[in-house]
Amino acid sequence: MSERLSGIEKGLLSLESSPGDKTVVDALFRHYHSVKGMSASMGYDPIKDFAHLQEDVLEGFRSAGSFPGKVTISILFECLDAFKKFLNMVENSEALKMDTAPLMERLKESVLAAHEAPPS
């Protein structure tokens, strides 16, 4: 899973420097999809659910032919930090107890704002 998280980090950094690159959004989507699938197969439902929402966010941008803005990318970086905490919990055989709801709500709000913003 750490390889996928590294891919997410590289993708988010690429989006910051090249915000309109469809190939980066597609690659990010695949990384989130893989994290979701791996987590589901190992029974790590909190990680699966967390990855699923982010995968949905990327799919929304892909479907709309648009791209995440700076705020959304920033929140996705915060989500990446939470993924790393989850991974640390797994490695230390700890319960996967982390409240990601506020972070997920901020992500949803940033996406709604991005899709409602008038074209520039």
Side-chain angles (χ1 to χ4, degrees):
M1 190 175 318
S2 61
E3 180 180 316
R4 293 297 176 181
L5 297 184
S6 177
I8 289 171
E9 185 168 22
K10 288 176 187 171
L12 292 175
L13 289 169
S14 292
L15 268 185
E16 278 187 322
S17 60
S18 302
D21 191 338
K22 182 183 179 329
T23 59
V24 173
V25 174
D26 290 342
L28 274 169
F29 173 83
R30 286 190 300 276
H31 285 300
Y32 286 111
H33 182 76
S34 294
V35 169
K36 180 186 78 173
M38 288 187 294
S39 300
S41 70
M42 293 184 277
Y44 300 142
D45 289 341
I47 301 173
K48 174 198 68 152
D49 296 341
F50 190 59
H52 186 85
L53 179 60
Q54 292 166 79
E55 176 190 39
D56 285 350
V57 164
L58 268 292
E59 179 55 29
F61 283 109
R62 291 171 70 198
S63 301
S66 59
F67 301 95
K70 290 179 182 182
V71 172
T72 302
I73 292 170
S74 177
I75 296 169
L76 287 170
F77 271 116
E78 290 180 56
C79 291
L80 177 61
D81 290 340
F83 270 131
K84 290 176 182 179
K85 289 177 185 175
F86 271 133
L87 185 57
N88 191 38
M89 290 174 186
V90 168
E91 290 170 347
N92 292 314
S93 301
E94 297 173 13
L96 299 176
K97 301 265 187 206
M98 185 180 352
D99 184 9
T100 58
L103 187 55
M104 293 291 83
E105 189 58 36
R106 286 181 42 231
L107 182 60
K108 288 177 192 176
E109 289 171 6
S110 76
V111 171
L112 283 174
H115 288 301
E116 293 173 358
S120 46

